Amino acid sequence: MGQSDWRALLETTQQLATGYLEGLPDRRVGPTATLAELRAALHQPLLDEPVDALTVTHDLAAAADPGLMATPSSRFFGFVIGGAVPASVAADWLTTAWDQNAGLYAAAPAAMVAEEVAAGWLTDLLGLPASVSTGFVTGCQMANTTGLAAGRHAVLQRVGWDVETQGLAGSPGVRVVVGGERHATIDRALRLLGLGTKQVAVVPADGQGRMLADQLARVLDADDSTPTIVCAQLGNVNTGALDPIADIVELAHRRGAWVHVDGAFGLWAAASPSLAPLVAGAQGADSWATDAHKWLNVPYDSGLIFCADPAAHRAAMGVQASYLIHAEHQERDAMDFNPEFSRRARGFPVYAALRSLGRGGVADLVDRCCALARRFATALEAADGVEVCNDVVLNQVLVRFPGRDGDADRRTPAVVHAVQADGTCWLSGTVWQGRPAMRVSVSNWSTTPADVDRSVAAILRCAEAVG
Ligand SMILES: *Cc1c(COP(=O)(O)O)cnc(C)c1O
């Protein structure tokens, strides 16, 4: 492939990508193709002979297009996903072209320094202690895994057990205290760390999904000898509710426990002066997991782990091998802070997003999404036969459709389905504390009040049609 071929290929790619992004305002948000159609479109015999890159690119774009979920659309409200701010998309393209292996300073010096700078900005924006160590991981799943691995190291070390050399068999054991409405990734992280459900104590949550602090005290007091990790949550994936973090930190630390915070999106409240009081006290925790690909709006995949005990972080994640060239002076080797070995230089898009938004831009992004979530809630609640069933404290709204006969359990999933089929916006359903609900998550920098109004109209139209 010569230089002119690169140009033709990437100019075509640029046209395809900008065509997609510029078409978002008018595009149906959900996919149109069925599973069978996508299989038929993408299925090709793998030939013996090569196919030229331009053909591969054109064919891929054409076959994938009807199966794309318009996640970056300003009317995509599914999960807690969000789009990507333009500077981070551009940086992500460059990251691909540069093809750095960002495990070691020796292999990717600019990537390591961009991460170092971005880590400093993030620590400051999120109100964390300046001395924290930072890992750029694939998402909050791996951020939780990394933070809990550091916690497992620290709590066992305090009782004289080195888990990295001795493993868990024969150890004093680790007890993990979680909330009743924790995210599923906490359970998987614990499984990966050799901590089974029998080592997990569940503290009941209230109707919004917040861990009950008095119940936490009771659970902690029931066993004061086993090394303990407490997992708090900032931002319940359904309601957006935040655990009473200041109380949790105080109760846990009084008993020598490690506090891990799953703040996949809720930790970003700390970046907004108006919302920061919701997470006051979070800076006292020991590890914090969050996502950049959710509320910071960088492309997938991008999660972050911060640790107040850099030595525990490194003890859990550090790697040594004879052929690796490790940092000798002040350099930072990323592979000592995340579970990946070879890895994408995912700090570049984070750096670009932060620089382009600025401190005020991040706060504004978070504030705007919350204001638009309230706009959703107010408009839906005002309609007949619709109820909002959470306190809208952040960017999440849970909605039920009792209609005229009150049968919300039947009607709500049908409305979700109808809205997805309608295509004006896209959102999904859930079961909240035993009852079906529609989830609305406003997590995208480009969503406007007009998008919300148009989506509310579509939702109400669909509810009416479901009857
Ligand atoms: C999304 C989410 C996760 C998982 O994050 P990924 O980036 O998808 O791995 C964990 N915890 C909470 C509270 C979340 O909202």
Side-chain angles (χ1 to χ4, degrees):
M1 185 128 173
Q3 227 144 13
S4 61
D5 300 330
W6 273 123
R7 190 159 295 274
L9 176 63
L10 293 186
E11 280 175 1
T12 297
T13 307
Q14 184 215 324
Q15 278 163 21
L16 290 165
T18 45
Y20 171 72
L21 292 171
E22 287 173 354
L24 288 171
D26 304 315
R27 185 187 176 106
R28 181 196 152 76
V29 183
T32 51
T34 63
L35 171 64
E37 286 164 350
L38 285 172
R39 283 188 175 146
L42 284 158
H43 185 83
Q44 298 277 347
L46 188 58
L47 304 178
D48 284 335
E49 318 77 55
V51 176
D52 76 90
L54 208 51
T55 305
V56 171
T57 305
H58 266 297
D59 288 356
L60 174 63
D65 190 81
L68 295 179
M69 174 69 84
T71 318
S73 164
S74 57
R75 291 186 308 281
F76 178 86
F77 305 110
F79 313 105
V80 192
I81 287 196
V85 291
S88 72
V89 174
D92 208 52
W93 282 20
L94 288 173
T95 302
T96 298
W98 291 337
D99 197 21
Q100 301 293 285
N101 185 338
L104 295 170
Y105 182 86
M112 292 301 91
V113 176
E115 285 191 2
E116 190 180 288
V117 173
W121 290 343
L122 288 160
T123 305
D124 182 38
L125 268 180
L126 298 172
L128 303 178
S131 56
V132 298
S133 48
T134 307
F136 291 72
V137 294
T138 49
C140 203
Q141 168 74 76
M142 287 326 288
N144 281 330
T145 308
T146 306
L148 291 167
R152 183 183 68 165
H153 169 88
V155 297
L156 283 170
Q157 191 197 37
R158 285 174 205 157
V159 294
W161 187 268
D162 182 55
V163 71
E164 280 73 34
T165 55
Q166 303 182 86
L168 280 173
S171 79
V174 175
R175 177 177 59 149
V176 186
V177 181
V178 301
E181 293 288 352
R182 69 200 172 277
H183 195 268
T185 50
I186 293 292
D187 297 75
R188 182 157 65 171
L190 294 174
R191 240 159 49 217
L192 291 172
L193 294 171
L195 298 166
T197 47
K198 282 196 175 148
Q199 278 96 62
V200 174
V202 181
V203 177
D206 67 10
Q208 298 295 319
R210 291 172 294 221
M211 184 191 282
L212 291 165
D214 55 336
Q215 298 288 319
L216 171 64
R218 187 183 54 75
V219 168
L220 288 172
D221 287 341
D223 170 2
D224 59 5
S225 61
T226 310
T228 299
I229 299 172
V230 176
C231 287
Q233 175 168 262
L234 294 176
N236 175 278
V237 77
N238 284 306
T239 62
L242 306 109
D243 282 352
I245 188 67
D247 294 347
I248 292 173
V249 168
E250 210 228 293
L251 289 167
H253 280 176
R254 211 190 288 159
R255 293 157 177 90
W258 176 280
V259 180
H260 173 75
V261 175
D262 175 3
F265 61 98
L267 190 59
W268 290 91
S272 149
S274 64
L275 295 167
L278 292 174
V279 297
Q283 68 277 9
D286 300 287
S287 52
W288 303 263
T290 192
D291 267 321
H293 58 213
K294 285 180 178 167
W295 231 348
L296 184 59
N297 279 203
V298 307
Y300 286 87
D301 40 22
S302 190
L304 298 158
I305 178 67
F306 304 94
C307 189
D309 182 345
H313 192 170
R314 264 189 115 108
M317 288 298 142
V319 225
Q320 297 289 330
S322 57
Y323 72 99
L324 297 175
I325 307 165
H326 282 286
E328 285 174 5
H329 306 290
Q330 305 274 300
E331 312 94 310
R332 176 179 180 282
D333 285 331
M335 70 166 63
D336 289 336
F337 300 97
N338 50 251
E340 295 83 8
F341 196 67
S342 294
R343 63 188 272 276
R344 181 175 180 78
R346 60 176 59 84
F348 285 129
V350 173
Y351 174 97
L354 290 168
R355 174 138 196 262
S356 81
L357 288 165
R359 183 186 293 280
V362 176
D364 184 54
L365 168 60
V366 171
D367 286 341
R368 242 176 326 117
C369 289
C370 294
L372 292 170
R374 289 193 298 274
R375 188 181 183 95
F376 249 115
T378 306
L380 288 169
E381 222 159 21
D384 280 342
V386 185
E387 68 187 31
V388 169
C389 44
N390 67 316
D391 296 342
V392 181
V393 290
L394 280 182
N395 59 334
Q396 303 292 117
V397 189
L398 281 186
V399 191
R400 281 172 53 86
F401 296 87
R404 288 177 200 89
D405 61 3
D407 191 0
D409 287 357
R410 176 193 67 81
R411 188 173 290 101
T412 303
V415 177
V416 170
H417 193 75
V419 173
Q420 290 177 350
D422 168 80
T424 305
C425 63
W426 199 94
L427 34 70
S428 57
T430 188
V431 174
W432 176 244
Q433 299 192 336
R435 297 151 67 194
M438 171 189 272
R439 292 177 73 242
V440 182
S441 177
V442 188
S443 317
N444 187 313
W445 64 278
S446 65
T447 302
T448 63
D451 286 314
V452 171
D453 297 348
R454 211 175 130 188
S455 301
V456 167
I459 292 168
L460 295 178
R461 197 168 64 231
C462 290
E464 194 57 40
V466 165

Coordinates of all heavy atoms in Angstrom, one line a residue, residues 20 27-35 37-39 41-42 60-71:
Y20 N -22.2 9.7 8.1 CA -23.0 9.1 9.2 C -23.2 10.2 10.3 O -24.4 10.4 10.7 CB -22.1 8.0 9.8 CG -22.7 7.4 11.1 CD1 -23.8 6.6 11.2 CD2 -22.0 7.6 12.3 CE1 -24.3 6.1 12.3 CE2 -22.5 7.1 13.5 CZ -23.6 6.3 13.5 OH -24.1 5.8 14.7
R27 N -31.7 10.8 11.1 CA -31.6 9.3 11.0 C -32.5 8.7 12.1 O -32.7 9.2 13.2 CB -30.2 8.9 11.3 CG -29.9 7.4 11.2 CD -28.5 7.1 11.6 NE -28.3 5.6 11.6 CZ -27.6 5.0 10.7 NH1 -27.0 5.7 9.7 NH2 -27.6 3.7 10.7
R28 N -33.2 7.7 11.7 CA -33.9 6.9 12.7 C -32.9 6.4 13.7 O -31.8 6.0 13.4 CB -34.5 5.7 11.9 CG -35.3 4.7 12.6 CD -35.4 3.4 11.8 NE -35.6 2.4 12.8 CZ -36.7 2.1 13.4 NH1 -37.8 2.9 13.1 NH2 -36.8 1.2 14.3
V29 N -33.3 6.5 15.0 CA -32.2 6.2 16.0 C -31.9 4.7 16.2 O -30.8 4.3 16.3 CB -32.6 6.8 17.4 CG1 -31.5 6.6 18.4 CG2 -32.9 8.3 17.3
G30 N -33.0 3.9 16.1 CA -32.7 2.4 16.2 C -32.3 1.8 14.9 O -32.4 2.5 13.9
P31 N -31.8 0.6 14.9 CA -31.4 -0.1 13.7 C -32.7 -0.4 12.9 O -33.8 -0.5 13.4 CB -30.7 -1.3 14.1 CG -31.1 -1.5 15.6 CD -31.5 -0.2 16.1
T32 N -32.5 -0.7 11.6 CA -33.6 -1.1 10.8 C -33.5 -2.6 10.4 O -34.6 -3.2 10.2 CB -33.7 -0.3 9.5 OG1 -32.5 -0.3 8.8 CG2 -34.1 1.1 9.7
A33 N -32.3 -3.1 10.3 CA -32.2 -4.5 9.7 C -32.5 -5.5 10.8 O -32.3 -5.3 12.0 CB -30.7 -4.6 9.3
T34 N -33.0 -6.6 10.3 CA -33.2 -7.8 11.2 C -31.9 -8.6 11.4 O -31.0 -8.4 10.6 CB -34.3 -8.7 10.7 OG1 -33.8 -9.2 9.4 CG2 -35.6 -8.0 10.4
L35 N -31.9 -9.5 12.3 CA -30.7 -10.4 12.5 C -30.4 -11.1 11.2 O -29.3 -11.1 10.7 CB -31.0 -11.3 13.6 CG -30.0 -12.5 13.8 CD1 -28.7 -12.0 14.2 CD2 -30.6 -13.5 14.9
E37 N -31.2 -10.3 8.1 CA -30.7 -9.4 7.1 C -29.2 -9.0 7.3 O -28.4 -8.9 6.4 CB -31.5 -8.1 7.1 CG -32.9 -8.3 6.4 CD -33.9 -7.2 6.7 OE1 -33.7 -6.3 7.6 OE2 -35.0 -7.3 6.1
L38 N -28.9 -8.8 8.6 CA -27.5 -8.5 8.9 C -26.5 -9.6 8.6 O -25.4 -9.4 8.1 CB -27.3 -8.0 10.4 CG -27.9 -6.6 10.7 CD1 -27.9 -6.4 12.2 CD2 -27.0 -5.6 10.0
R39 N -27.0 -10.8 9.0 CA -26.2 -12.0 8.7 C -26.0 -12.1 7.2 O -24.9 -12.4 6.7 CB -26.8 -13.2 9.2 CG -26.6 -13.3 10.7 CD -27.0 -14.7 11.3 NE -26.7 -14.8 12.7 CZ -27.4 -15.4 13.6 NH1 -28.5 -16.0 13.2 NH2 -27.0 -15.4 14.9
A41 N -26.1 -9.7 5.0 CA -25.3 -8.6 4.4 C -23.8 -8.8 4.8 O -23.0 -8.5 4.0 CB -25.8 -7.3 5.0
L42 N -23.5 -9.3 6.0 CA -22.1 -9.4 6.4 C -21.5 -10.7 6.1 O -20.2 -10.8 6.0 CB -22.0 -9.1 7.9 CG -22.2 -7.6 8.2 CD1 -22.6 -7.4 9.7 CD2 -20.9 -6.8 8.0
L60 N -18.2 -2.9 4.0 CA -18.4 -3.0 5.4 C -19.4 -1.9 5.8 O -20.4 -2.1 6.5 CB -17.1 -2.8 6.2 CG -17.3 -2.8 7.8 CD1 -17.9 -4.0 8.3 CD2 -16.0 -2.5 8.5
A61 N -19.2 -0.7 5.3 CA -20.0 0.5 5.7 C -21.5 0.2 5.2 O -22.4 0.4 5.9 CB -19.5 1.8 5.1
A62 N -21.6 -0.3 4.0 CA -22.9 -0.5 3.4 C -23.6 -1.6 4.2 O -24.8 -1.5 4.5 CB -22.8 -0.9 2.0
A63 N -22.9 -2.7 4.5 CA -23.6 -3.8 5.2 C -23.9 -3.5 6.6 O -25.0 -3.9 7.2 CB -22.6 -5.1 5.2
A64 N -23.1 -2.7 7.3 CA -23.3 -2.4 8.7 C -24.4 -1.4 8.9 O -25.1 -1.4 9.9 CB -22.0 -2.0 9.4
D65 N -24.5 -0.4 8.0 CA -25.3 0.8 8.2 C -26.7 0.5 8.8 O -27.1 1.0 9.8 CB -25.3 1.6 7.0 CG -26.0 3.0 7.3 OD1 -25.3 3.9 7.8 OD2 -27.2 3.1 7.0
P66 N -27.5 -0.5 8.1 CA -28.8 -0.7 8.7 C -28.8 -1.4 10.0 O -29.9 -1.4 10.7 CB -29.5 -1.6 7.6 CG -28.4 -2.1 6.7 CD -27.2 -1.2 6.9
G67 N -27.7 -1.9 10.5 CA -27.6 -2.5 11.8 C -27.0 -1.6 12.8 O -26.6 -2.1 13.9
L68 N -26.8 -0.4 12.5 CA -26.1 0.5 13.5 C -27.2 1.1 14.4 O -28.3 1.5 14.0 CB -25.4 1.7 12.8 CG -24.2 1.3 11.9 CD1 -23.6 2.5 11.2 CD2 -23.1 0.6 12.7
M69 N -26.9 1.1 15.7 CA -27.7 1.8 16.7 C -27.1 3.2 16.6 O -25.9 3.4 16.8 CB -27.5 1.2 18.0 CG -28.1 1.9 19.2 SD -29.9 1.9 19.1 CE -30.3 0.3 19.9
A70 N -27.9 4.3 16.5 CA -27.3 5.6 16.4 C -27.0 6.1 17.8 O -27.6 7.1 18.3 CB -28.3 6.5 15.6
T71 N -26.1 5.5 18.4 CA -25.7 5.8 19.8 C -25.3 7.3 19.9 O -25.6 7.9 20.9 CB -24.6 4.9 20.3 OG1 -24.8 3.6 19.8 CG2 -24.4 5.0 21.8

